[in-house]
Amino acid sequence: ANMDWYLPELYDFLENMGFTVVINRMSRYVVDPNRNLTGGIQQDYTKALIYEKTTFGRELYTSSLSEGEIQARIDRFYKVYHQTLEELILEKQKHFDTVYLLDLHSFGKEIEADVVLGNSDGKSMNHRLTQYIKDMFSVNHYNVALNRPFPGGHIVRHYGCANTRCEALQIELAYRSYIG
């Protein structure tokens, strides 16, 4: 649970289309790059930077992580991931007026939607582009929800809302939509 299963394989065509792709190969149970740095370690996985429990409520550790271990994960994985994103966005902005960031995820939660598009309730990506992407999924017979239950995590809010030249959209695919 709470893993983005097989997404590098599913989206392997993007690089051939000219997209810049950054893949997080680290489990969100180590450190979650889609959470705010202030999230710290906590039991609520929807806010935790480092989880204490699985999404099923099972303890991940037999003893508490040391401050040193927590900081090492933040420095080694979280900060490096975000530094890479920031550098790529700045590089793209040298050549383009607007940069579009697609934050690709998947979910196993049982909801009606096959796809959930999260634009932070309209704050991280313009309505026209969001609607176009929604229509492209719909025309291909996917049931699409907008911002519910996933309005977009830290990546969408941080890069799409805080930077006027970067728009960001979180795309969540239901496991059942692509895992046979």
Side-chain angles (χ1 to χ4, degrees):
N2 208 19
M3 300 295 290
D4 294 321
W5 293 107
Y6 309 111
L7 291 189
E9 295 83 4
L10 181 65
Y11 290 113
D12 66 357
F13 64 91
L14 289 174
E15 283 187 87
N16 292 334
M17 294 179 67
F19 287 80
T20 301
V21 176
V22 177
I23 299 172
N24 176 31
R25 298 197 186 275
M26 183 61 49
S27 169
R28 296 176 105 184
Y29 287 149
V30 174
V31 64
D32 191 339
N34 204 22
R35 300 292 183 259
N36 191 313
L37 190 55
T38 61
I41 183 166
Q42 57 179 295
Q43 293 184 13
D44 181 356
Y45 78 90
T46 65
K47 296 180 178 115
L49 183 65
I50 297 174
Y51 306 175
E52 288 184 326
K53 294 184 177 187
T54 70
T55 53
F56 298 111
R58 294 187 189 114
E59 296 289 334
L60 283 168
Y61 308 104
T62 55
S63 60
S64 298
L65 295 175
S66 70
E67 288 297 320
E69 172 63 22
I70 292 168
Q71 192 59 51
R73 290 181 185 193
I74 291 169
D75 293 341
R76 185 171 177 202
F77 304 113
Y78 185 91
K79 287 183 177 178
V80 170
Y81 183 83
H82 283 280
Q83 180 180 357
T84 300
L85 282 180
E86 289 170 13
E87 289 171 358
L88 287 168
I89 289 168
L90 288 172
E91 180 59 33
K92 295 293 182 187
Q93 287 176 333
K94 291 178 185 176
H95 306 285
F96 303 99
D97 290 336
T98 304
V99 174
Y100 298 97
L101 186 155
L102 301 177
D103 189 22
L104 307 172
H105 294 276
S106 59
F107 66 93
K109 188 175 186 174
E110 286 303 318
I111 61 173
E112 284 187 34
D114 302 309
V115 179
V116 180
L117 302 178
N119 68 359
S120 196
D121 294 312
K123 296 178 194 128
S124 68
M125 180 172 277
N126 75 71
H127 174 74
R128 271 184 59 202
L129 184 53
T130 302
Q131 187 62 48
Y132 175 79
I133 293 169
K134 183 178 186 224
D135 292 346
M136 290 300 99
F137 278 110
S138 295
V139 79
N140 285 289
H141 311 290
Y142 289 97
N143 182 353
V144 184
L146 183 58
N147 291 308
R148 301 293 174 266
F150 310 115
H154 172 69
I155 291 170
V156 165
R157 288 189 311 273
H158 179 73
Y159 296 102
C161 297
N163 187 331
T164 58
R165 293 186 53 215
C166 179
E167 295 189 34
L169 180 71
Q170 182 171 295
I171 301 175
E172 293 268 2
L173 297 178
Y175 294 162
R176 68 179 181 280
S177 297
Y178 71 98
I179 298 175

